[in-house]
Coordinates of all heavy atoms in Angstrom, one line a residue:
F1102 N 136.9 -142.0 -102.1 CA 136.9 -143.1 -103.1 C 137.7 -144.3 -102.5 O 137.2 -145.4 -102.6 CB 137.5 -142.7 -104.4 CG 137.7 -143.8 -105.4 CD1 136.7 -144.2 -106.2 CD2 138.9 -144.5 -105.4 CE1 136.8 -145.3 -107.1 CE2 139.0 -145.6 -106.3 CZ 138.0 -146.0 -107.2
V1193 N 148.0 -156.1 -109.3 CA 148.6 -155.2 -110.3 C 148.3 -153.8 -110.0 O 149.2 -152.9 -110.0 CB 148.1 -155.6 -111.7 CG1 148.5 -154.5 -112.7 CG2 148.6 -156.9 -112.2
L1194 N 147.1 -153.5 -109.6 CA 146.7 -152.1 -109.3 C 147.4 -151.6 -108.0 O 147.8 -150.4 -107.9 CB 145.2 -152.0 -109.1 CG 144.4 -152.0 -110.4 CD1 143.0 -152.3 -110.2 CD2 144.6 -150.7 -111.2
Q1195 N 147.7 -152.5 -107.0 CA 148.4 -152.1 -105.8 C 149.8 -151.7 -106.2 O 150.4 -150.7 -105.6 CB 148.4 -153.2 -104.8 CG 147.0 -153.5 -104.3 CD 146.0 -152.4 -104.3 OE1 146.1 -151.4 -103.5 NE2 145.0 -152.4 -105.2
I1196 N 150.4 -152.4 -107.1 CA 151.7 -152.0 -107.6 C 151.7 -150.6 -108.2 O 152.5 -149.7 -108.0 CB 152.3 -153.0 -108.6 CG1 152.5 -154.4 -107.9 CG2 153.6 -152.5 -109.2 CD1 152.9 -155.5 -108.8
G1197 N 150.6 -150.4 -109.0 CA 150.4 -149.1 -109.6 C 150.2 -148.0 -108.6 O 150.8 -146.9 -108.7
W1198 N 149.5 -148.2 -107.5 CA 149.3 -147.2 -106.4 C 150.6 -146.8 -105.8 O 150.9 -145.7 -105.5 CB 148.3 -147.7 -105.4 CG 146.9 -147.7 -105.8 CD1 146.1 -148.7 -106.0 CD2 146.1 -146.5 -106.2 NE1 144.8 -148.4 -106.4 CE2 144.8 -147.0 -106.5 CE3 146.3 -145.1 -106.2 CZ2 143.8 -146.2 -106.9 CZ3 145.3 -144.3 -106.6 CH2 144.0 -144.8 -106.9
L1199 N 151.5 -147.9 -105.6 CA 152.8 -147.6 -104.9 C 153.7 -146.8 -105.9 O 154.4 -145.9 -105.5 CB 153.4 -148.9 -104.5 CG 152.7 -149.6 -103.3 CD1 153.4 -150.9 -103.0 CD2 152.7 -148.7 -102.1
V1200 N 153.7 -147.2 -107.2 CA 154.5 -146.5 -108.2 C 154.0 -145.0 -108.3 O 154.8 -144.1 -108.5 CB 154.4 -147.2 -109.5 CG1 155.0 -146.3 -110.6 CG2 155.0 -148.6 -109.5
R1201 N 152.7 -144.8 -108.1 CA 152.2 -143.4 -108.2 C 152.8 -142.5 -107.2 O 153.0 -141.3 -107.5 CB 150.7 -143.5 -108.0 CG 150.0 -142.1 -108.0 CD 148.5 -142.2 -107.8 NE 147.9 -140.9 -107.7 CZ 147.7 -140.2 -106.6 NH1 148.2 -140.7 -105.4 NH2 147.2 -139.0 -106.6
V1211 N 145.8 -137.2 -112.7 CA 145.7 -138.1 -113.8 C 146.0 -139.6 -113.5 O 145.2 -140.5 -113.8 CB 146.6 -137.7 -115.0 CG1 146.6 -138.6 -116.1 CG2 146.2 -136.3 -115.5
S1212 N 147.0 -139.8 -112.7 CA 147.4 -141.2 -112.3 C 146.3 -141.7 -111.4 O 146.0 -142.9 -111.5 CB 148.8 -141.2 -111.7 OG 148.8 -140.4 -110.5
F1213 N 145.8 -140.9 -110.5 CA 144.7 -141.4 -109.6 C 143.5 -141.8 -110.5 O 142.9 -142.8 -110.2 CB 144.3 -140.3 -108.7 CG 143.4 -140.7 -107.6 CD1 143.9 -141.0 -106.3 CD2 142.0 -140.9 -107.8 CE1 143.0 -141.4 -105.3 CE2 141.2 -141.4 -106.8 CZ 141.7 -141.6 -105.5
A1214 N 143.1 -141.0 -111.5 CA 142.0 -141.3 -112.3 C 142.2 -142.6 -113.0 O 141.2 -143.4 -113.1 CB 141.7 -140.1 -113.3
V1215 N 143.4 -142.8 -113.6 CA 143.6 -144.0 -114.3 C 143.5 -145.3 -113.4 O 142.9 -146.3 -113.8 CB 145.0 -144.0 -115.0 CG1 145.4 -145.3 -115.6 CG2 145.1 -142.9 -116.1
L1216 N 144.1 -145.2 -112.3 CA 144.1 -146.3 -111.3 C 142.7 -146.5 -110.8 O 142.3 -147.7 -110.6 CB 145.1 -146.1 -110.2 CG 146.6 -146.1 -110.6 CD1 147.4 -145.6 -109.4 CD2 147.0 -147.6 -110.9
A1217 N 141.9 -145.5 -110.5 CA 140.6 -145.6 -110.1 C 139.7 -146.3 -111.1 O 138.9 -147.2 -110.7 CB 140.0 -144.2 -109.7
V1218 N 139.8 -145.9 -112.4 CA 139.1 -146.6 -113.4 C 139.5 -148.1 -113.5 O 138.6 -149.0 -113.7 CB 139.4 -145.9 -114.8 CG1 138.8 -146.8 -115.9 CG2 138.8 -144.5 -114.8
G1219 N 140.8 -148.4 -113.3 CA 141.2 -149.8 -113.2 C 140.6 -150.5 -112.1 O 140.1 -151.7 -112.2
E1220 N 140.5 -149.9 -110.9 CA 139.8 -150.5 -109.8 C 138.4 -150.9 -110.1 O 137.9 -151.9 -109.7 CB 139.9 -149.6 -108.5 CG 141.3 -149.4 -108.0 CD 141.8 -150.5 -107.1 OE1 141.1 -151.6 -107.0 OE2 142.8 -150.4 -106.4
L1221 N 137.7 -149.9 -110.7 CA 136.3 -150.1 -111.0 C 136.1 -151.2 -112.0 O 135.0 -151.8 -112.1 CB 135.6 -148.8 -111.5 CG 135.6 -147.6 -110.5 CD1 135.1 -146.4 -111.2 CD2 134.7 -148.0 -109.3

Side-chain angles (χ1 to χ4, degrees):
F1102 175 86
V1193 169
L1194 285 165
Q1195 299 326 294
I1196 296 173
W1198 287 114
L1199 293 177
V1200 170
R1201 178 180 176 272
V1211 174
S1212 59
F1213 190 102
V1215 171
L1216 290 168
V1218 170
E1220 293 276 10
L1221 295 173

